[in-house]
């Protein structure tokens, strides 16, 4: 049984560009949460998707948006990239309110 | 903001028990205590969680004090592969969001 998968593993972008990160949840999970982890910090909650709707959002600007598809997979989009957006982006899946299981992350570098 | 306080770092000898403390004095009655760990540059790994009673699984044991204001994660026989940052998280119930709020965690170094 595959766990949570994320793509790509690494990504380099320049300021002002847009990026899309992808997440496939663990089999049987219907809820996807996204987190941003800056170097040396704990992960910070971005938002959570359930039934293709954004259910909860953290303190992130509108440049960060997401989507959940009918197969429960999810995308995180970041527009107008800033240097400060460089981080490890983590996806976690759960079955509704259950325990969240994390993927390996996508490391984004903005130059 | 994180609702937990953990020591920034701890050392443990290989083969000995590692006891990682966590204070959560403002925890509410319906909030769970979760533990995750993160090995360098990997995604956080779920370890264990509990509400009131002590819990044990194949990875660790979780001891929650009777007043629920603190807890201890116990790795019974630490190995070098247990070297990681350990996060103690107080998780609100799902109907209040259920998101995970990470603090700085405890960096555990297991030494030979």
């Amino acid at each position: 049984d595959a766990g949570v998968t994320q793509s790509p593993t690494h990504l380099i972008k320049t300021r002002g560009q847009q990026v899309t990160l992808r997440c496939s949840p663990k089999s049987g999970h219907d809820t996807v949460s996204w987190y941003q982890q800056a170097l040396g910090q704990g992960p910070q909650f971005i938002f959570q998707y359930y039934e293709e709707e954004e259910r909860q959002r953290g303190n992130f600007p509108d440049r960060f948006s997401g989507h959940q598809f009918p197969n429960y997979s999810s995308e995180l989009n970041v527009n107008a990239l800033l240097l400060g957006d460089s981080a490890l982006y983590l996806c976690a899946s759960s079955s509704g309110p259950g325990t969240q299981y994390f993927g390996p992350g996508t490391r984004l570098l903005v130059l | 903001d994180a609702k937990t306080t953990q020591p920034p770092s701890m050392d443990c000898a290989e083969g000995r028990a590692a006891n990682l403390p966590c204070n959560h004095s403002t925890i509410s009655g319906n909030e769970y205590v979760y533990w995750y760990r993160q090995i360098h540059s990997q995604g956080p790994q779920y370890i264990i969680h509990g509400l009131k009673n002590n819990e044990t699984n194949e990875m660790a044991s979780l001891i929650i004090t009777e007043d629920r204001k603190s807890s201890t994660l116990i790795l019974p026989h630490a190995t070098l592969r247990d070297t990681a940052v350990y996060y103690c998280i107080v998780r609100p119930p799902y109907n209040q969001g259920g998101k995970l709020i990470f603090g700085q965690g405890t960096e555990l170094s297991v030494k030979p």
Side-chain angles (χ1 to χ4, degrees):
Chain A
D1 174 30
V4 180
T5 60
Q6 293 186 242
S7 63
T9 56
H10 295 82
L11 202 53
I12 299 175
K13 292 286 188 178
T14 57
R15 281 178 297 173
Q17 284 189 311
Q18 178 263 345
V19 68
T20 297
L21 310 180
R22 295 175 176 82
C23 171
S24 291
K26 189 176 167 66
S27 178
H29 286 183
D30 57 9
T31 301
V32 172
S33 303
W34 286 93
Y35 294 80
Q36 179 196 65
Q37 185 174 24
L39 201 61
Q41 304 294 318
Q44 301 296 308
F45 175 78
I46 303 175
F47 43 52
Q48 182 181 83
Y49 277 84
Y50 172 69
E51 291 189 339
E52 303 180 49
E53 299 271 342
E54 184 182 289
R55 185 176 171 276
Q56 189 181 15
R57 189 179 183 92
N59 188 25
F60 279 81
D62 292 345
R63 298 187 298 108
F64 289 77
S65 63
H67 188 78
Q68 186 179 34
F69 299 93
N71 67 353
Y72 308 119
S73 67
S74 177
E75 288 182 349
L76 164 66
N77 300 291
V78 186
N79 294 323
L81 284 167
L82 304 174
L83 296 179
D85 295 331
S86 295
L88 179 67
Y89 287 86
L90 295 159
C91 166
S93 75
S94 61
S95 178
T99 297
Q100 293 185 19
Y101 293 88
F102 284 82
T106 294
R107 182 145 322 261
L108 172 65
L109 178 62
V110 182
L111 300 176
Chain B
D1 292 335
K3 297 177 66 174
T4 62
T5 303
Q6 300 177 252
S9 63
M10 292 182 63
D11 290 339
C12 178
E14 189 178 20
R16 303 296 296 268
N19 296 277
L20 290 90
C22 179
N23 286 320
H24 32 78
S25 58
T26 61
I27 191 170
S28 300
N30 56 0
E31 291 179 321
Y32 283 79
V33 178
Y34 274 75
W35 284 84
Y36 285 80
R37 72 180 182 184
Q38 188 172 26
I39 297 169
H40 182 63
S41 295
Q42 298 181 22
Q45 178 189 22
Y46 165 75
I47 302 173
I48 198 167
H49 73 279
L51 183 64
K52 295 180 182 178
N53 301 320
N54 299 337
E55 302 287 344
T56 296
N57 63 19
E58 65 279 3
M59 289 183 68
S61 295
L62 173 61
I63 309 297
I64 303 174
T65 58
E66 192 169 345
D67 63 8
R68 302 211 324 124
K69 293 184 177 181
S70 65
S71 61
T72 301
L73 179 74
I74 301 172
L75 308 178
H77 305 286
T79 71
L80 299 179
R81 289 183 299 176
D82 292 322
T83 292
V85 177
Y86 287 76
Y87 294 101
C88 170
I89 299 166
V90 168
R91 187 183 184 192
Y94 193 66
N95 60 3
Q96 296 176 23
K99 67 184 179 184
L100 300 175
I101 302 174
F102 289 79
Q104 297 292 335
T106 295
E107 187 166 7
L108 175 68
S109 296
V110 181
K111 301 181 184 299

